[in-house]
Amino acid sequence: MAIGAPLAVAGAVGVGVAAADTANFKVMVTEQVQNKVMVFDKNAAFSDANRYKSWSPGTGGWSNLSDCRIRDTAQFGAIGLAAASGGKVGIWNITDEKDQELNDVLWSATPGGNPHALERIPNVGAFVAASSDGFLTVYGPTAVSDPSTLAKVQTVSLAGAHGVVWDPDNSLLWACGNKVVQAYTVSGTYRNVRLNASSKKVALSGLGHDLQPDFSNKAKLLVSDSYGVYSIDKGTLAKTTLHTTTRIKAYVKMSTGEHFYVRGDNAGSRDWGSPTVVFSQSADRTRSGAEFYKARYYTTAYN
């Protein structure tokens, strides 16, 4: 780990986003009661006073935010990616404004089927949404630097699709769904971008929930399903059980070995969420009245 590594300045907007692990990293969460994406220092209370940034897209199609992550672009610098069970997916421009809203959105779409995740395929400017009703939706642009030109170009069946993550080392898009993690090759550019299922797939015992890189080992992926959390070797496809805790909705492992997660608490009107983000080597963070669904390391890195 690079202790005290500098923050990357994303593009020309002067927004500090981690390029490598730091001793006191920032955590990005989707909070479904206020329906905001919020960023906090992991060593401070998750309070409004301590927020580093927030994004509030409103409700309607943006209700029940189900995914968030940060990616880097040549045109805009750091952008935020989001999916919402209300029906929307989209990206917003992360400027130096502390609290951002719907007017910061650069592009949005309605793939249908309860969207749960959105990922960017670099260099071709394409985006892929995972919808839990059973499909991936691919959006391709006519100009890589202009997200307003994105349009749906492909729908790929994947039962229970919940997670997607780009693998820059192998140029693969990985997705998790019902009892499977499946890798896809990417062909074409612009509006001709297409996903093709590869021979790389790994069986799960239950419904896949979250799919993330392992920041402690770039050769691995981390996936949670209904019954636990697993490490998958991207080369050999060997699967190792890390935890048998059920209902893990988000799981991140840092290069220090510290991990943090959100576990659905089976309580309240959003029993899939929790007011607490659990840390293995730091104090847990609870926000009264909140319902966190996803928690991410606040970085533009893919692994």
Side-chain angles (χ1 to χ4, degrees), residues 147-159:
S148 70
T149 67
L150 285 162
K152 182 169 72 172
V153 296
Q154 185 186 20
T155 301
V156 179
S157 295
L158 179 66

Side-chain angles (χ1 to χ4, degrees), residues 33-46:
V33 174
Q34 290 186 295
N35 210 53
K36 291 182 179 181
V37 172
M38 295 183 284
V39 182
F40 298 104
D41 184 319
K42 68 106 173 179
N43 284 342
F46 283 13

